[in-house]
Amino acid sequence: MVKVFLVEDESIIRRGIRDNIDWESHGFEFVGEAGDGEYAYPLILKTKPDILITDIKMPFMDGLELSRLVKKNLPKTRIIVLSGYNEFDYAKEAIKIGISDYLLKPVTSVSLMDTLKYVADEIREEQENSRCLAHVAKHSQIIVDELNKSGRFPFELVWKPTLITNEVIRKTFNEANQDPECAGVITWMHTFSPAKSWILGLQEYHKPLCHLHTQFNQEIPYDSIDMDFMNENQSAHGGREYGHIVTRMGIERKVIVGHHWADEKVQDQLASWMRTAIGVMESSHIRVMRVADNMRNVAVTDGDKVEAQIKFGWEVDAYPVNEIVEAVDAVSQADTDALVEEYYDTYDILLEGRDEKQFRRHVAVQAQIELGFERFLDANNYQAIVTHFGDLGGLKQLPGLAIQRLMEKGYGFGAEGDWKTAAMVRLMKIMAAGTK
């Protein structure tokens, strides 16, 4: 039953509407009435009608003000306005509020019923769509939960509600753009939706995109299949419509096609795309610190840093070695000693005939270099480092163990000025995280 509430200050008209319509036989439930908006409002909040019929001109609170309050607190309630005033300003304000229909008095029971039936059909269609979309949302959430629990994916999948309007799609894509923890978006067209709704969002989106083109059900329930099932499970149609518009827009994306989302081959492709997406996003802001940049004429190490920044987003900056030495010298003795103890606890120390105390002093030099380098990298937001053996400046040793330790922590490294290798090592470390 569709619930109806009536607000009309003229008691004769109100009783006439209430008593001259066989509400139940037409699929309606008459849940209440009132003679003005002020008295009606708390009753409406209590009964939560699907349809509100209200006059405009009433004492205390008119129909337009009542409609504003109802739309604010019960946005799904449809409103039919009755008015004896055929004035444009009233109609314009009613449209702005979101009124479903505007009827001029005198209103016959036939014309009112026709309007009620039309609005009720819209409500039922919306409820059916909501039910369908709720199932779609539930299915997509099951997929995300199960994929995250599978242990086959290097990074977490984050579920988002079903997107059906231009505004929501655009908002979601822009949230993905702005989220530093988001490396890409996976779209799954479980049901049919007009692909034009995606155009604005796709135009503004600039991270990796994947189209997962699979169905939800592994088996089709042939014995019980009906139109409801068909409406809710249209991956073939929805995916084709979406694929058409993305192709027409010339947008690069990965399309993963499979019978079912739980198929291991599908999951392996999706996991591989995730690593690629992470690589693309990491590459867009890699910063390489090039220490002692004194091989500028060597083609293999120098290359074209400007082109690399334009194409890949890599930023390569050169520093005089002694600027880094200042950060190394600033490391306290206590911090150095603590890291040396960590070295001795972690590694097997092979003296091979060397004096133990002297050897420990050499190890302490590496600990100081590691701490100084890492603090400088972190303070200046660098993810990779390049050194050169020919220019140590004030460094007491080549940064051997220190560099190996930094690489273990995820920093990229390239020897002899090779910034390209440093950037690629950083990328590979991020993309291969968790692999064996």
Side-chain angles (χ1 to χ4, degrees):
M1 289 285 189
V2 175
K3 297 191 293 183
V4 178
F5 194 100
L6 172 64
V7 186
E8 167 61 63
D9 65 327
E10 296 184 50
S11 58
I12 294 175
I13 296 177
R14 189 169 70 249
R15 287 196 300 271
I17 293 175
R18 181 193 65 195
D19 299 337
N20 292 329
I21 294 177
D22 186 355
W23 298 97
E24 188 172 347
S25 68
H26 291 288
F28 296 98
E29 178 187 358
F30 190 86
V31 295
E33 61 180 290
D36 65 77
E38 189 173 82
Y39 181 70
Y41 183 57
L43 297 176
I44 291 169
L45 293 180
K46 182 178 179 180
T47 56
K48 295 181 173 58
D50 299 301
I51 300 176
L52 167 64
I53 305 171
T54 181
D55 189 12
I56 283 188
K57 284 288 187 178
M58 295 183 295
F60 307 115
M61 181 190 293
D62 66 24
L64 292 180
E65 181 60 26
L66 174 63
S67 296
R68 288 190 195 95
L69 291 172
V70 170
K71 275 297 181 184
K72 181 179 178 181
N73 292 283
L74 298 173
K76 292 186 177 181
T77 295
R78 305 298 181 95
I79 301 174
I80 300 172
V81 165
L82 309 178
S83 177
Y85 300 88
N86 187 14
E87 294 184 16
F88 177 71
D89 287 342
Y90 284 126
K92 184 172 67 173
E93 186 63 23
I95 292 171
K96 187 188 298 184
I97 294 170
I99 303 301
S100 296
D101 217 323
Y102 189 96
L103 300 180
L104 290 175
K105 295 179 179 179
V107 180
T108 67
S109 59
V110 173
S111 63
L112 179 58
M113 181 51 62
D114 287 343
T115 301
L116 282 167
K117 286 181 177 179
Y118 175 78
V119 174
D121 286 343
E122 286 187 335
I123 292 172
R124 293 187 184 100
E125 183 179 356
E126 184 179 281
Q127 290 172 343
E128 178 60 27
N129 289 337
S130 296
R131 187 190 64 80
C132 174
L133 291 173
H135 286 176
V136 171
K138 181 180 178 182
H139 290 170
S140 63
Q141 192 157 23
I142 289 172
I143 292 176
V144 169
D145 291 344
E146 291 301 316
L147 292 181
N148 281 331
K149 288 191 297 186
S150 71
R152 302 178 68 88
F153 294 90
F155 307 100
E156 181 187 6
L157 284 164
V158 177
W159 176 81
K160 290 293 180 181
T162 306
L163 311 181
I164 58 174
T165 66
N166 294 329
E167 294 80 9
V168 174
I169 292 170
R170 186 180 184 186
K171 180 175 181 288
T172 302
F173 272 127
N174 277 292
E175 286 174 350
N177 283 335
Q178 298 301 319
D179 186 352
E181 298 297 315
C182 174
V185 167
I186 301 167
T187 52
W188 182 63
M189 304 296 122
H190 186 29
T191 190
F192 182 82
S193 63
K196 286 175 66 178
S197 302
W198 293 83
I199 292 176
L200 287 178
L202 288 168
Q203 283 177 332
E204 296 176 1
Y205 179 68
H206 56 70
K207 288 184 178 181
L209 179 66
C210 176
H211 177 191
L212 179 60
H213 188 44
T214 70
Q215 63 184 31
F216 176 74
N217 298 279
Q218 192 158 19
E219 302 293 337
I220 297 176
Y222 291 105
D223 294 339
S224 59
I225 195 169
D226 56 17
M227 286 308 299
D228 286 342
F229 180 89
M230 295 293 292
N231 287 332
E232 293 173 12
N233 296 269
Q234 294 200 44
S235 293
H237 297 294
R240 180 178 60 186
E241 169 79 357
Y242 173 77
H244 164 79
I245 202 67
V246 181
T247 300
R248 183 170 179 177
M249 294 174 69
I251 295 174
E252 291 187 6
R253 81 280 190 192
K254 174 67 175 179
V255 182
I256 299 175
V257 180
H259 169 67
H260 191 242
W261 55 269
D263 183 87
E264 290 187 358
K265 291 182 179 179
V266 170
Q267 293 189 8
D268 287 345
Q269 289 184 68
L270 192 56
S272 177
W273 173 82
M274 291 174 75
R275 295 188 184 280
T276 301
I278 288 288
V280 169
M281 296 312 301
E282 179 67 19
S283 179
S284 69
H285 58 262
I286 281 184
R287 302 185 72 235
V288 181
M289 183 179 79
R290 198 176 186 194
V291 181
D293 190 4
N294 63 348
M295 296 188 72
R296 288 182 287 273
N297 295 322
V298 180
V300 73
T301 57
D302 193 62
D304 190 340
K305 303 184 197 69
V306 174
E307 189 69 10
Q309 188 162 358
I310 292 172
K311 297 292 188 191
F312 307 131
W314 299 354
E315 182 181 345
V316 183
D317 299 326
Y319 285 84
V321 64
N322 283 334
E323 190 169 339
I324 319 301
V325 170
E326 292 177 7
V328 174
D329 290 343
V331 176
S332 69
Q333 187 64 48
D335 288 346
T336 300
D337 292 342
L339 186 55
V340 169
E341 290 298 328
E342 182 181 327
Y343 285 172
Y344 273 76
D345 290 340
T346 305
Y347 307 113
D348 294 328
I349 306 298
L350 303 178
L351 295 175
E352 297 182 339
R354 285 167 289 194
D355 179 75
E356 196 277 332
K357 290 184 179 179
Q358 184 181 22
F359 187 80
R360 192 181 183 93
R361 286 195 294 272
H362 290 315
V363 172
V365 172
Q366 288 296 314
Q368 189 179 22
I369 291 173
E370 178 187 340
L371 289 170
F373 273 32
E374 185 171 9
R375 288 171 183 176
F376 192 92
L377 289 165
D378 184 59
N380 293 281
N381 192 30
Y382 288 104
Q383 297 82 40
I385 182 172
V386 173
T387 60
H388 175 52
F389 72 93
D391 187 0
L392 294 180
L395 291 176
K396 298 175 184 178
Q397 296 176 9
L398 282 170
L401 176 59
I403 289 296
Q404 293 181 48
R405 295 260 305 177
L406 289 173
M407 291 176 68
E408 182 185 17
K409 294 175 182 178
Y411 289 95
F413 173 70
E416 313 308 327
D418 191 353
W419 54 269
K420 297 184 293 297
T421 295
M424 288 301 297
V425 168
R426 167 64 179 180
L427 271 184
M428 293 303 104
K429 284 182 172 293
I430 296 296
M431 294 173 66
T435 59
K436 296 181 180 180

